[in-house]
Amino acid sequence: QGIIDDILSLERIQQVAQNEISEEIDLTAMVMKAVNTHSPEADLKSITLHTDLNDDEVIILGDSAQLYEGLSNLISNAIKYTPDNGEVTVNLSVGKASARVEVMDNGYGIPEDQQDRLFEPFYRPKTEETATIKGTGLGLHLVRNIIERHGGDVLFESVYGEGSTFGFRLPLASLNHH
């Protein structure tokens, strides 16, 4: 079922790809909503879910349902791949022309030789610690599709045994929003 849902999401992204993405979205509000939605999941594993946000609104243009799905995916991955009592921080920072969202965890991390293929469809890194964790291997592929369609890039960094940071950079709606 999970695989089917993920494939349907991909299909939907490709269908909507033809439409113009012009909805004004406040990333600050979106990050807060996603964090609140996932806090019960974090609580089940006694994981501390922090946010490090800019208090102002951060306006980007896009498709809010898709971006939310992408962000949600990164947060639930971080919770899923972090052992009990760990920490996950969702960070939003703003540069001159772009906003950057990062989801950092102190979880299992990904071995270096498996990092190149992370965003490929159905690829899942294999490590002892994560062998029993279920997933379709489509989540990150989905996230990358969504972000690149929005003119952004995905960010990723991981040290095996120490944790990972997954995130994305998106262009700000315009420079006169301060």
Side-chain angles (χ1 to χ4, degrees):
Q1 186 58 48
I3 292 183
I4 291 171
D5 290 343
D6 283 350
I7 289 174
L8 290 175
S9 291
L10 277 173
E11 293 266 291
R12 214 169 48 238
I13 291 169
Q14 274 138 11
Q15 279 162 14
V16 199
Q18 284 73 24
N19 307 350
E20 223 180 302
I21 338 183
S22 55
E23 198 185 336
E24 288 209 345
I25 298 163
D26 175 8
L27 260 186
T28 307
M30 182 181 280
V31 167
M32 287 170 72
K33 178 185 161 192
V35 166
N36 290 334
T37 304
H38 289 285
S39 57
E41 264 170 73
D43 291 346
L44 284 174
K45 296 178 70 178
S46 306
I47 286 172
T48 317
L49 194 49
H50 301 282
T51 48
D52 180 1
L53 301 178
N54 191 314
D55 297 329
D56 309 324
E57 43 177 42
V58 176
I59 307 293
I60 54 162
L61 295 179
D63 175 317
S64 60
Q66 283 190 16
L67 283 174
Y68 185 79
E69 186 169 356
L71 175 60
S72 212
N73 215 299
L74 295 182
I75 296 174
S76 71
N77 271 358
I79 294 169
K80 190 155 79 163
Y81 291 102
T82 297
D84 292 10
N85 304 311
E87 283 186 37
V88 172
T89 301
V90 187
N91 193 332
L92 169 60
S93 54
V94 184
K96 277 207 219 18
S98 62
R100 185 186 175 111
V101 174
E102 287 165 311
V103 180
M104 293 174 274
D105 66 60
N106 61 355
Y108 302 115
I110 297 146
E112 208 166 327
D113 58 355
Q114 300 186 34
Q115 293 183 5
D116 289 354
R117 302 186 52 200
L118 266 181
F119 292 90
E120 287 177 18
F122 301 113
Y123 181 73
R124 298 190 67 213
K126 303 208 177 4
T127 62
E128 259 169 80
E129 301 86 348
T130 61
T132 57
I133 298 177
K134 295 190 179 3
T136 60
L138 274 172
L140 290 175
H141 178 63
L142 203 71
V143 171
R144 188 179 64 184
N145 263 287
I146 292 170
I147 297 306
E148 290 181 351
R149 275 210 36 238
H150 282 79
D153 345 82
V154 290
L155 310 166
F156 160 71
E157 212 178 308
S158 183
V159 177
Y160 184 46
E162 290 181 22
S164 307
T165 297
F166 282 92
F168 50 83
R169 205 178 11 241
L170 288 170
L172 293 171
S174 79
L175 300 174
N176 29 6
H177 282 103
H178 280 303

